[in-house]
Amino acid sequence: MSRRRALGVIGVGAAALTGCGVPGRSAPATHSGGAPAVRPKPVVPTGDWASVQGGMKKVTDTVGQIQGYASKTSVSRGESIDFHLSSHLAQTCRVDIHRVGRGDGPGTRRLMTSTPFPVRPRTRPTPASGTGLIACDWPVSWTLRIPGSWESGIFLAVFTTQDGYRSYTPFVVRDTGRRSDILMVVPFTTYQAYNLWPHDGHTGRNRYRGYTPAGVWGGIDDRALKVSFDRPYPESGLPHWFALDTSAARWAESNGYDITYASSVDLHEGRIDPSNHRVMMFSGHDEYWSREMRDCAEQAVSAGTHLAFLAANNIYFQIRVEDSAEGRASRVVTCYKETADPAPGPTGPTVRWRQLDTDHRRAEQGLLGVQYNGILKKPAPLVVRESRHWFWSGTGLRDGDEIPDLIAVEADGFDPAMPRPAGTKQTLLSASPYADRLGRGRTVQNTSLCVNKKGTFVFVAGTFYWPLALGDPRHFNPHVQRATRNLLTRMLEHSGK
């Protein structure tokens, strides 16, 4: 099975993984002695979060009882954002706006509710010939002007119909004019690459697969080469692996960090000034990067802003972020992968970053210190290395100790055949063997920390479950929390500027 096919299977079969909590178990690290393990702090979901997640009838892509998308991935205070909705019948709908985190435990806080307004069925587009692009042209159903009192964060627009169905779409409220200790970048370009809408048996496709004319899931020949933000996310409307970002956000805010938010499209469009932040945190699965996005991250390191990547498989494919057919900016993510790119442009074809040059000089490891090296058959323990390093301080862990089931889904590792960040000292904080799902035998995951001569850090967790261990009650792990606090404390105390 190829990686593309495996990821397509994950995308179709992981409906339970797209919400703001991913089923799983958490366990303390195992070790033979030393300091006692850190005790976990209980986390209980709030009432408002429960009301967002449940209590209404299930939305399906086949029927499309209520689904919608936002006109932007992010919006500033004082600006407006439009929502484009379609219902399975003519009726009324209301919108509740919720914010994730900030004093709300693992839940959300409802900030406002609209008055009911009419919705009705809208035409579902067919994939464009040649590229497979699915882009809706639904009219605006409701517009929100962001109040000046709202703080930057991850938001959900919650759509509830008169006949009892509910779905969502996410967006970010940004505050790029404010300095903050941490800027969290939410990976909307990767959300869209994995978007299977509509998963209806004949239409949907993403960057991995799509339906054949016979109505069955095909392979790479049926995938989309271009994907649009002008469409809902599947079923309830939460992006694939949205849980990673909401978990990290809830944890960071509950610990009192000074944090603002942006989307990956903001990174692409040049709205982010890295010098306004001590740390740029990439909280989730952040696989699809444009040249502009990578330039911003590299400029951040050069300017002394630390980078923290909390998951795995980062900066893997180069993309172009293009305008819609109607001229709306940055509404299409283009990535041809193995298919010949008809318009590479000055940044080269939309392939893996490590394939752009014969000497692999633009491989992701050249910035990050590690890079994607496999998909796991099942979760594996993180095996601790360099336990005397300040990163592991206060955890009670020793070399060889294991944090159960922390390495999951995809993993990163150090590849000695690839470039590494120039002029840096690298510490590999874990060495975790795992069985690869694609039949490549056993390989090793590494959590990595690189420090350049100016004292600027680049951290990569190297596993999908790291952010879940921070703020998801079903994956909670105190060792991961302590290590991440150690990391951010050191980053905030030691400016690389």
Side-chain angles (χ1 to χ4, degrees), residues 66-72 75 79-86 92-98 110-120 122 138-147 150 155-160 169 171:
I66 182 67
Q67 294 186 308
Y69 58 93
S71 61
K72 306 171 184 178
V75 61
E79 294 182 351
S80 294
I81 183 169
D82 298 326
F83 297 93
H84 306 254
L85 305 182
S86 176
T92 61
C93 177
R94 75 170 193 269
V95 182
D96 296 290
I97 302 297
H98 289 245
R110 183 170 52 227
L111 297 181
M112 67 162 295
T113 300
S114 74
T115 57
F117 56 88
V119 290
R120 66 179 181 84
R122 300 295 179 184
W138 300 345
V140 176
S141 300
W142 185 71
T143 297
L144 169 67
R145 181 173 290 278
I146 306 299
W150 287 9
F155 284 71
L156 280 177
V158 184
F159 314 127
T160 304
T169 203
F171 64 99

Side-chain angles (χ1 to χ4, degrees), residues 14 94 138 191 305 338 419:
R94 75 170 193 269
W138 300 345
Y191 288 167
T305 298
E338 292 80 7

Side-chain angles (χ1 to χ4, degrees), residues 8-64:
V9 171
I10 291 170
V12 174
L17 302 182
T18 58
C20 292
V22 180
R25 70 181 183 89
S26 174
T30 57
H31 59 89
S32 57
V38 183
R39 292 189 178 276
K41 174 184 175 183
V43 181
V44 180
T46 64
D48 262 354
W49 188 243
S51 73
V52 170
Q53 289 187 303
M56 305 297 282
K57 293 181 280 188
K58 179 178 172 59
V59 171
T60 67
D61 285 357
T62 303
V63 179

Side-chain angles (χ1 to χ4, degrees), residues 77 146-152:
R77 291 176 298 182
I146 306 299
S149 60
W150 287 9
E151 63 179 327
S152 179

Side-chain angles (χ1 to χ4, degrees), residues 185-355:
V185 182
V186 183
F188 277 80
T189 51
T190 299
Y191 288 167
Q192 199 51 245
Y194 281 83
N195 185 355
L196 285 165
W197 187 89
H199 189 200
D200 59 0
H202 55 84
T203 308
R205 58 187 66 197
N206 64 10
R207 286 300 303 113
Y208 296 90
R209 5 183 19 186
Y211 288 106
T212 70
V216 298
W217 275 108
I220 61 173
D221 293 337
D222 304 290
R223 68 187 177 190
L225 304 174
K226 295 174 180 277
V227 290
S228 173
F229 287 107
D230 291 322
R231 57 176 178 154
Y233 294 100
E235 308 292 351
S236 67
L238 297 179
H240 193 51
W241 288 115
F242 186 56
L244 306 184
D245 304 290
T246 58
S247 178
R250 292 193 303 267
W251 176 81
E253 295 195 5
S254 69
N255 279 272
Y257 290 106
D258 174 29
I259 186 168
T260 54
Y261 297 79
S263 80
S264 52
V265 175
D266 295 319
L267 212 63
H268 170 80
E269 292 191 333
R271 293 193 186 94
I272 305 305
D273 179 356
S275 67
N276 281 338
H277 315 283
R278 296 185 181 185
V279 180
M280 290 175 61
M281 178 185 291
F282 300 88
S283 50
H285 183 199
D286 216 335
E287 180 177 355
Y288 288 81
W289 280 54
S290 69
R291 174 76 260 184
E292 292 83 353
M293 293 167 63
R294 182 159 178 171
D295 284 348
C296 185
E298 292 177 346
Q299 290 163 9
V301 174
S302 296
T305 298
H306 309 293
L307 304 183
F309 289 81
L310 299 188
N313 190 212
N314 306 291
I315 320 182
Y316 189 62
F317 281 108
Q318 180 176 231
I319 61 172
R320 291 193 296 274
V321 183
E322 300 174 336
D323 295 350
S324 70
E326 297 77 22
R328 293 188 302 277
S330 303
R331 297 302 288 174
V332 175
V333 175
T334 297
C335 189
Y336 280 81
K337 297 187 177 180
E338 292 80 7
T339 304
D341 188 336
T347 63
T350 50
V351 296
R352 293 168 183 82
W353 282 94
R354 62 183 75 170
Q355 295 174 322

